[in-house]
Amino acid sequence: MVRTIMMSEEEYERFCAFRGAEKTVSSVRAQGLQEARAHNELAEAVLAAFDMRVDGSEIILCDREKAVRALMLASAALV
């Protein structure tokens, strides 16, 4: 079923502005989720690559390959 809706030019412009705002909000939310996933991935990579003493006085490298991956993820996050 197709509906035809009549509106003034002013109403149409407000409708278009609202749709634009809706798309912007959706895009910002998607970007936020993508960044959160990237941060979680980086945190998991760091936890897998390093071990730290309880008092924080020493950080031990557990896995060199995982450390390189963590550094690559961190580097990508800074760009």
Side-chain angles (χ1 to χ4, degrees):
M1 179 174 135
V2 176
R3 281 195 231 176
T4 302
I5 299 172
M6 302 296 285
M7 62 178 77
S8 69
E9 191 172 325
E10 182 181 319
E11 289 171 324
Y12 180 72
E13 287 176 7
R14 279 188 287 167
F15 170 76
C16 289
F18 177 78
R19 292 292 294 174
E22 247 182 356
K23 290 178 182 179
T24 300
V25 168
S26 177
S27 176
V28 168
R29 283 184 183 149
Q31 183 178 0
L33 289 173
Q34 186 177 23
E35 288 174 359
R37 282 188 213 111
H39 291 145
N40 287 339
E41 185 180 5
L42 173 58
E44 289 172 6
V46 169
L47 289 174
F50 300 99
D51 190 16
M52 185 178 2
R53 288 195 177 191
V54 176
D55 64 0
S57 64
E58 187 177 0
I59 298 174
I60 302 163
L61 176 65
C62 296
D63 188 324
R64 181 183 165 102
E65 289 178 17
K66 289 180 180 177
V68 169
R69 182 170 182 274
L71 290 172
M72 299 281 280
L73 289 170
S75 168
L78 294 175
V79 172

